[in-house]
Amino acid sequence: SPSKNMFNLFKKKESQPTAPIPPSIPVATNPNAPLPFGTPENELERALLAKHKREIDVIQLINTVFNSQISILVPEDQFTTVEGKRQLVSNPRIFTLTQQSGPFLVMFSSPKRTKPAIDRYSQFRYAAEVHAGNFLMSMPQSLSFGLIINPYWEAYIQWMPDQLQQIRARVRQ
């Protein structure tokens, strides 16, 4: 089990210069969302709403995202059974959305938030819980992708590919 603050952007390392954090990483509000966000179910959702209300800064939001369990969607064939336990295969095919700026990995702050995506893309109807920081940092650094957390909801996070690259580079330091 990962430690509570495995990824901490405030952590200082001796004799290593620190790269600046991007000054503004937007948390967008989607006026066309089919469902209101409602009551937050966990720490990540509380942080997402707090950032939306400008009650926390982007560093706190990034730390919360990277230290949270998060749901991803995969097709059924992306699971295997090991010692009687169902788990994701290595390098699973996961739900992504493609926009003009490139591919976006899609994550959800709780299993409940996956429903609108499953309704639209039924081939990705199986949710798996992963540690967001471990999952994002395990991806090859050469991969360029953005991140959307909770699409189809009125409050969500969308980090462009270059923003996510900067965040991942900062966390690697």
Side-chain angles (χ1 to χ4, degrees):
S1 170
S3 69
K4 181 79 174 136
N5 291 311
M6 175 183 273
F7 298 97
N8 187 342
L9 295 178
F10 292 110
K11 183 172 51 182
K12 297 235 190 267
K13 293 183 180 175
E14 293 80 22
S15 72
Q16 249 188 348
T18 57
I21 295 296
S24 176
I25 298 176
V27 173
T29 298
N30 180 355
N32 301 315
L35 298 170
F37 203 76
T39 304
E41 297 188 353
N42 55 45
E43 186 179 345
L44 175 57
E45 292 188 354
R46 284 187 288 280
L48 175 61
L49 288 176
K51 178 61 179 141
H52 178 67
K53 295 175 185 176
R54 301 177 196 270
E55 296 171 352
I56 64 171
D57 64 27
V58 71
I59 300 295
Q60 290 170 292
L61 179 63
I62 292 169
N63 283 333
T64 302
V65 168
F66 273 72
N67 288 294
S68 294
Q69 286 294 114
I70 204 153
S71 295
I72 58 172
L73 294 178
V74 298
E76 183 177 22
D77 65 357
Q78 298 301 292
F79 290 98
T80 188
T81 302
V82 176
E83 297 178 6
K85 290 185 179 182
R86 193 171 183 204
Q87 65 184 38
L88 283 174
V89 298
S90 295
N91 302 310
R93 185 166 48 101
I94 59 177
F95 179 58
T96 59
L97 293 173
T98 302
Q99 298 182 355
Q100 264 187 324
S101 53
F104 284 77
L105 174 63
V106 179
M107 296 180 154
F108 301 89
S109 57
S110 71
K112 170 185 167 182
R113 305 286 178 203
T114 65
K115 186 177 179 347
I118 291 171
D119 289 347
R120 288 173 176 83
Y121 303 95
S122 61
Q123 70 272 29
F124 290 92
R125 67 180 170 270
Y126 297 92
E129 287 227 348
V130 298
H131 183 270
N134 290 343
F135 193 80
L136 289 169
M137 297 308 288
S138 71
M139 302 256 193
Q141 200 167 357
S142 59
L143 278 183
S144 179
F145 58 92
L147 176 66
I148 300 174
I149 299 177
N150 294 339
Y152 314 114
W153 293 89
E154 66 184 347
Y156 67 97
I157 295 172
Q158 179 171 325
W159 290 331
M160 302 305 284
D162 61 327
Q163 293 170 320
L164 187 57
Q165 281 290 88
Q166 290 176 22
I167 293 167
R168 289 176 35 178
R170 172 72 170 130
V171 170
R172 278 190 174 88
Q173 291 182 343

